[in-house]
Amino acid sequence: MKTKKFMLSEQQMPTKWYNIVADMPNKPLPALDPATKQPVTFESLSRVFGEELVKQELSEERFIEIPDEVQDLYKIWRPTPLVRAYGLERMLDTPAKIYFKNESTSPAGSHKPNTAIPQAYYNAKQGIKYLATETGGGQWGSAMALACQYFNIDLRVYMVKVSCEQKPYRKLLMNAWGANVIPSPSTTTRFGRDVLAKDPDCAGNLGIAISEAVEVALEHGEHTRYCLGSVMNHVLLHQTIIGEEALLQMEMAGDEPDVVIGCFGGGSNFAGIGFPFLRRNLTEGKQTRIVAVEPTSCPKLTRGEFQYDFGDTAGMTPMMPMYTLGHSFQPSNIHAGGLRYHGAGSIVSQLYKDRLIEAQSVPQLETFAAGMMFANSEGIIPAPESCHAIAVAIREAKRAKEEGCPRTILFNLSGNGMIDLYAFEQYFANKLTDYDLPESEIRRSIDELEQII
Amino acid sequence: MKTKKFMLSEQQMPTKWYNIVADMPNKPLPALDPATKQPVTFESLSRVFGEELVKQELSEERFIEIPDEVQDLYKIWRPTPLVRAYGLERMLDTPAKIYFKNESTSPAGSHKPNTAIPQAYYNAKQGIKYLATETGGGQWGSAMALACQYFNIDLRVYMVKVSCEQKPYRKLLMNAWGANVIPSPSTTTRFGRDVLAKDPDCAGNLGIAISEAVEVALEHGEHTRYCLGSVMNHVLLHQTIIGEEALLQMEMAGDEPDVVIGCFGGGSNFAGIGFPFLRRNLTEGKQTRIVAVEPTSCPKLTRGEFQYDFGDTAGMTPMMPMYTLGHSFQPSNIHAGGLRYHGAGSIVSQLYKDRLIEAQSVPQLETFAAGMMFANSEGIIPAPESCHAIAVAIREAKRAKEEGCPRTILFNLSGNGMIDLYAFEQYFANKLTDYDLPESEIRRSIDELEQII
């Protein structure tokens, strides 16, 4: 009988995270203090983030040991399965082999606990009692809620208001794990009040929510810090456990991917699956294609510009070198809440600038159609974010059929959609649109940015 | 480092289901045709159920081969992990070792696909195009929706109305997998219309929903059949894959359970985890305690009577020997929708009568408190049904502490509660009650039953 799932034992779980900075031909440009225009320092970042996380943020060490306590908690659901998508292959009648890494098996239903747990761990070890963060689709907020309860940290989550309304169960999930969830923009911060004064009906976006959470961290004293679920180097680092496992599992399967695909919001699951494969391109001369998939309604890689930009809407973060749509960009209300961020992290941006990775954008309806094909053939209901990766895997598999040329495709199933079923209902009811973005809208936001800088 | 999850490879997955009838000292009494009072025949049952399933229903063969096609689909998520609940043990500060079998990892989030897939398979093989079924909490209906899409069977699900309202996402999930969901009682059947005529606000119960689904199957011709997610012998049979795996995994862990615990609705997950361990009691002289856990608001084992009773409210099914609260029993609106059934299947009833298994009942609030302890220590949000098994595992662990006597506890985590988060919200808001049942209410229902028989 054919093997469906390639499983590693707990003993085979990788014990190191991979820091791709060590192998990049051009290192990412430094983040800049907006006041001095000088590179940010360990000291300034440490006022916002836990110290060990800042060390990792600035590190160029190739591999970083995963602490034992973190490994123990990873084992609640890790190693995750690598799955051969026989059902999807059959449905597509393709000569391609399709594999997916199933990150939907964590208690929070996504890959986000891979970094939530070490972030809570390092902060707790430093004596931090309170953390503030933001969440878009809710996957990150719930992962952080899960992680904080293990370490007795009080968590406040600013959740983008439109996502709060679209995904009421996400809020309940965070509450169940003890977190305090506040729809953003809110009246609990100075910046939130400013936004609401200008636009009382503002649907919110990740940039605004980040501003609110950072404001809380900066103003609530020495036992409070901020944490972030994507974009930053240390976050991408923690997620590489995904690809490190997948490397071993593809070997077990006796196969070699021609293309590795991840959906792209700030870069966390994309880097997680992609960077360990990219290492082989950079150091062993392999030529695996690594593809980031973003929504056409938030096309920072495919249609944004490489600029220094703020990570948040208020301009409270350092300025980072990123492919960006401008930090004032207001994305459409697509259901893939985790992909509605205006910029790409500095590592991914540099890799993309150097043409070491690819990017594609997919309209919302194609992603849901792809997600339903996957649900109907493999059984798992995918998260709207993951549907983007599935859509490009299907594009690749169809191309393989047209060209009569077999290939091996690996994508990351970053999460399941059990709590996003409302989105699928909207899709079935023909209530979703594609949100293809006019060039003028992108230009306006970038132009604004250039005036600031 | 300590092993958290004991995993079997796909190659180690058991290839046979276990039929406990072969080893029972007293075989279960036969189901009776209500008109003739004679044992039901293969022919009469085959008008309602798929033929191969009826063969299994009546079989006394000890082991039954799992077809290759079913094994292939099982591998989408099976074998499931056996997990050592170190976190819960620490929280309880108990000398007991606690293990759980994690059946929440299936695409539907519960153990129900274990029988949904073979049921869809055997029906499809026989040429059945349409199936009708009912669902309480929605776990069974969604599993059957998942299974039917693999075999291109049209599925109609009668969902208990109160559950439909409590769990809107369950309906969306069934829709996503292509099933047609109808709140029960409904106007689509004669029996549903009768119920609504008497009580337009009827919240529904499993008995009514079964009557509606059976009516559809009986009146829609040769390509339509009915299927059921619990109670019946063939359903319990399919679920034994859980315990067969757990036997191998406990051996891997080098441990031996003193007590095996499953929540109890109609018997499917309880039999699944329990029967393979019970086999060793019956054939090898072991003395493992096997405990069924039911809600105090639906206490058919602990407070019901052993009687011949109908499986449904309308009295359309054969009469079965069961511990029952009477088929007109209307359970309270607890959130554990899967445990609101009035009777226990005939195998479980006979085993309980012969004191080969135990039963305990737990009030709703204790189950949610237990579920939150589990969520806070192990991370996984349990289904309200599974919270009953957790509650008794915690009782056992506390007793071990009081008595200063270590013991090994195994329970079945039959499903996760991601789609039941509304129930946890109600719990946090102190809006749940215990629903302890007055003796008079149970007596009334049983007395009614005795008048009929």
Side-chain angles (χ1 to χ4, degrees):
Chain A
M1 277 196 189
K2 299 178 295 189
T3 302
K4 174 81 182 160
K5 298 184 305 306
F6 298 89
M7 305 291 296
L8 299 170
S9 70
E10 291 183 358
Q11 289 68 35
Q12 291 170 298
M13 190 174 81
T15 58
K16 295 183 173 80
W17 293 304
Y18 169 55
N19 182 6
I20 199 168
V21 175
D23 293 321
M24 287 170 72
N26 299 307
K27 306 296 176 202
L29 299 174
L32 300 180
D33 184 309
T36 63
K37 306 274 192 242
Q38 293 301 306
V40 292
T41 59
F42 175 82
E43 287 68 29
S44 65
L45 282 175
S46 300
R47 284 197 294 273
V48 179
F49 295 101
E51 286 177 11
E52 194 62 34
L53 298 165
V54 176
K55 277 188 204 155
Q56 292 177 354
E57 185 67 22
L58 302 173
S59 169
E60 295 196 6
E61 210 178 319
R62 199 155 186 250
F63 289 102
I64 293 178
E65 288 281 345
I66 306 175
D68 286 354
E69 293 88 336
V70 172
Q71 288 190 45
D72 272 349
L73 287 170
Y74 273 179
K75 287 176 188 169
I76 288 176
W77 78 99
R78 302 207 73 86
T80 65
L82 177 79
V83 188
R84 174 82 183 269
Y86 291 115
L88 184 60
E89 290 173 17
R90 205 163 34 237
M91 185 180 272
L92 296 169
D93 187 25
T94 175
K97 294 182 192 175
I98 307 176
Y99 291 87
F100 64 94
K101 180 73 169 158
N102 187 359
E103 289 292 308
S104 77
T105 61
S106 79
S110 83
H111 68 295
K112 292 291 188 189
N114 294 333
T115 183
I117 286 172
Q119 289 195 43
Y121 165 77
Y122 288 123
N123 273 294
K125 216 174 144 196
Q126 187 188 329
I128 299 301
K129 305 281 183 220
Y130 309 95
L131 281 170
T133 194
E134 72 294 320
T135 196
Q139 296 276 22
W140 166 245
S142 40
M144 203 61 213
L146 169 73
C148 282
Q149 69 170 3
Y150 291 129
F151 297 102
N152 294 315
I153 292 175
D154 268 1
L155 177 69
R156 180 186 286 192
V157 183
Y158 286 92
M159 182 169 187
V160 175
K161 197 187 283 171
V162 59
S163 291
C164 241
E165 286 158 10
Q166 285 171 341
K167 305 181 181 189
Y169 276 39
R170 276 281 163 210
K171 177 174 177 299
L172 300 184
L173 183 57
M174 290 182 260
N175 293 154
W177 282 322
N180 180 12
V181 181
I182 300 173
S184 166
S186 79
T187 56
T188 64
T189 64
R190 205 171 42 241
F191 182 67
R193 288 189 295 270
D194 287 353
V195 171
L196 288 171
K198 280 181 214 148
D199 176 7
D201 298 325
C202 177
N205 63 41
L206 263 181
I208 295 171
I210 293 174
S211 297
E212 292 205 85
V214 171
E215 184 181 319
V216 167
L218 285 174
E219 302 197 348
H220 282 66
E222 62 171 332
H223 294 303
T224 304
R225 286 292 182 281
Y226 165 75
C227 58
L228 185 66
S230 193
V231 180
M232 306 285 288
N233 302 0
H234 66 274
V235 179
L236 275 47
L237 172 80
H238 301 153
Q239 292 292 355
T240 57
I241 182 90
I242 303 172
E244 293 298 335
E245 286 181 6
L247 275 175
L248 300 175
Q249 289 166 310
M250 287 301 305
E251 207 174 294
M252 282 173 72
D255 251 327
E256 179 67 43
D258 298 299
V259 54
V260 176
I261 302 165
C263 64
F264 190 80
S268 89
N269 100 88
F270 168 73
I273 188 84
F275 284 2
F277 287 91
L278 191 52
R279 173 175 71 235
R280 306 187 314 167
N281 291 2
L282 297 173
T283 64
E284 299 171 26
K286 296 244 185 198
Q287 298 196 307
T288 312
R289 293 169 53 211
I290 316 285
V291 182
V293 188
E294 57 187 14
T296 50
S297 60
C298 193
K300 56 216 162 216
L301 290 175
T302 51
R303 296 171 72 189
E305 290 191 10
F306 188 77
Q307 296 268 11
Y308 265 100
D309 193 4
F310 294 103
D312 67 327
T313 304
M316 299 172 71
T317 68
M319 302 202 66
M320 289 177 288
M322 40 163 67
Y323 277 87
T324 181
L325 297 164
H327 63 283
S328 64
F329 179 77
Q330 177 63 35
S332 312
N333 293 346
I334 58 166
H335 282 276
L339 310 185
R340 295 167 81 248
Y341 187 64
H342 67 278
S346 54
I347 292 179
V348 171
S349 292
Q350 188 64 47
L351 292 169
Y352 187 59
K353 191 159 179 283
D354 292 341
R355 298 172 175 266
L356 296 169
I357 60 171
E358 301 173 30
Q360 291 187 34
S361 70
V362 184
Q364 177 161 259
L365 289 180
E366 183 181 339
T367 67
F368 275 93
M372 279 315 304
M373 287 187 80
F374 183 74
N376 295 153
S377 56
E378 293 294 322
I380 304 167
I381 309 276
E385 291 82 1
S386 314
C387 290
H388 289 70
I390 297 170
V392 168
I394 289 175
R395 284 182 181 179
E396 290 286 337
K398 284 184 173 168
R399 205 150 60 85
K401 189 181 176 186
E402 284 159 22
E403 296 171 0
C405 169
R407 75 194 63 182
T408 300
I409 299 163
L410 167 63
F411 72 88
N412 194 34
L413 183 74
S414 56
N416 70 52
M418 294 302 255
I419 291 187
D420 303 296
L421 285 164
Y422 172 70
F424 284 93
E425 188 191 35
Q426 296 283 299
Y427 171 70
F428 289 131
N430 289 316
K431 286 185 184 158
L432 298 189
T433 70
D434 268 349
Y435 289 116
D436 205 0
L437 217 59
E439 195 64 35
S440 58
E441 203 168 314
I442 298 176
R443 283 307 327 161
R444 176 162 14 94
S445 183
I446 300 259
D447 288 350
E448 247 177 56
L449 173 64
E450 278 168 1
Q451 283 168 20
I452 297 171
I453 308 171
Chain B
M1 276 196 189
K2 298 179 296 190
T3 302
K4 174 80 182 160
K5 298 184 305 308
F6 299 88
M7 305 290 296
L8 299 171
S9 70
E10 291 183 359
Q11 289 69 35
Q12 291 170 298
M13 189 174 81
T15 58
K16 295 185 173 81
W17 294 305
Y18 169 54
N19 182 6
I20 199 168
V21 175
D23 294 320
M24 287 170 73
N26 299 308
K27 306 295 176 202
L29 299 174
L32 301 180
D33 184 308
T36 64
K37 307 275 193 238
Q38 292 301 307
V40 291
T41 59
F42 175 82
E43 288 67 31
S44 65
L45 282 175
S46 302
R47 284 197 294 273
V48 179
F49 295 100
E51 286 177 11
E52 194 62 34
L53 298 164
V54 176
K55 276 187 206 157
Q56 293 177 352
E57 186 67 21
L58 303 173
S59 169
E60 296 196 4
E61 211 178 320
R62 200 156 186 246
F63 289 102
I64 293 178
E65 288 281 346
I66 306 175
D68 287 353
E69 294 88 335
V70 172
Q71 288 191 44
D72 273 349
L73 287 170
Y74 274 179
K75 287 176 187 168
I76 288 176
W77 77 100
R78 302 208 72 87
T80 65
L82 177 80
V83 188
R84 175 82 183 268
Y86 291 115
L88 184 60
E89 289 173 17
R90 205 161 37 237
M91 184 179 273
L92 296 169
D93 187 25
T94 175
K97 295 183 192 174
I98 307 176
Y99 291 87
F100 63 94
K101 180 72 170 159
N102 187 357
E103 289 292 309
S104 77
T105 61
S106 79
S110 82
H111 67 296
K112 292 290 188 189
N114 295 334
T115 182
I117 286 172
Q119 289 194 42
Y121 165 78
Y122 288 122
N123 273 294
K125 215 172 144 198
Q126 186 187 330
I128 299 302
K129 305 284 184 215
Y130 309 95
L131 282 170
T133 194
E134 73 293 320
T135 197
Q139 296 276 23
W140 167 244
S142 41
M144 203 60 214
L146 168 73
C148 282
Q149 70 171 2
Y150 292 129
F151 297 101
N152 294 314
I153 292 175
D154 268 2
L155 177 68
R156 180 186 285 191
V157 183
Y158 287 92
M159 182 168 187
V160 175
K161 198 188 283 170
V162 59
S163 290
C164 242
E165 286 157 11
Q166 285 172 341
K167 307 183 181 188
Y169 276 39
R170 275 281 161 209
K171 177 174 178 297
L172 300 184
L173 183 56
M174 290 182 259
N175 292 154
W177 283 322
N180 180 13
V181 181
I182 300 173
S184 165
S186 78
T187 56
T188 64
T189 64
R190 205 171 44 241
F191 183 67
R193 288 189 295 271
D194 286 354
V195 171
L196 288 171
K198 281 180 213 147
D199 176 8
D201 298 325
C202 177
N205 63 42
L206 264 181
I208 296 171
I210 294 174
S211 296
E212 292 204 87
V214 171
E215 185 182 320
V216 166
L218 285 174
E219 302 197 349
H220 282 66
E222 62 171 332
H223 294 301
T224 305
R225 287 292 183 281
Y226 166 76
C227 58
L228 185 65
S230 192
V231 180
M232 306 285 288
N233 301 359
H234 66 274
V235 179
L236 275 48
L237 172 80
H238 300 152
Q239 292 292 355
T240 58
I241 182 90
I242 302 172
E244 293 298 334
E245 286 181 5
L247 274 175
L248 300 174
Q249 289 165 310
M250 287 301 305
E251 207 175 295
M252 283 173 72
D255 251 327
E256 179 66 43
D258 298 299
V259 53
V260 176
I261 301 165
C263 64
F264 190 80
S268 88
N269 100 88
F270 168 72
I273 189 82
F275 285 1
F277 287 92
L278 191 52
R279 174 175 69 236
R280 306 186 315 166
N281 292 2
L282 298 174
T283 65
E284 299 170 27
K286 297 244 184 198
Q287 298 197 307
T288 312
R289 292 170 53 212
I290 316 285
V291 182
V293 188
E294 57 187 13
T296 51
S297 60
C298 193
K300 56 217 161 216
L301 290 175
T302 51
R303 295 171 72 190
E305 291 191 9
F306 187 77
Q307 295 269 10
Y308 264 99
D309 194 4
F310 294 103
D312 67 327
T313 304
M316 298 172 72
T317 68
M319 302 202 67
M320 289 178 287
M322 39 163 67
Y323 277 88
T324 181
L325 297 164
H327 62 283
S328 64
F329 178 77
Q330 177 64 35
S332 311
N333 292 347
I334 58 165
H335 282 277
L339 309 186
R340 296 168 81 247
Y341 188 64
H342 66 278
S346 54
I347 292 179
V348 171
S349 292
Q350 188 63 47
L351 293 168
Y352 187 59
K353 190 159 180 283
D354 291 341
R355 298 172 175 267
L356 297 168
I357 59 171
E358 302 173 29
Q360 291 187 33
S361 70
V362 184
Q364 177 163 258
L365 289 180
E366 181 180 341
T367 67
F368 275 93
M372 279 316 303
M373 286 188 79
F374 183 74
N376 295 153
S377 56
E378 293 295 321
I380 304 167
I381 308 276
E385 291 82 1
S386 314
C387 290
H388 289 70
I390 297 170
V392 169
I394 290 175
R395 284 181 181 180
E396 290 286 334
K398 284 184 172 167
R399 207 150 61 84
K401 189 181 177 186
E402 284 159 21
E403 297 172 359
C405 168
R407 74 194 64 182
T408 301
I409 299 164
L410 167 64
F411 72 87
N412 194 34
L413 183 73
S414 57
N416 70 53
M418 295 302 255
I419 292 188
D420 303 295
L421 285 163
Y422 172 71
F424 285 93
E425 187 192 35
Q426 296 283 299
Y427 171 69
F428 289 132
N430 289 318
K431 286 185 184 158
L432 298 189
T433 70
D434 267 350
Y435 289 117
D436 205 0
L437 217 59
E439 196 64 36
S440 58
E441 203 168 314
I442 298 176
R443 283 307 327 161
R444 176 163 13 95
S445 183
I446 300 259
D447 288 349
E448 246 177 57
L449 173 65
E450 278 167 2
Q451 281 167 21
I452 296 171
I453 307 170

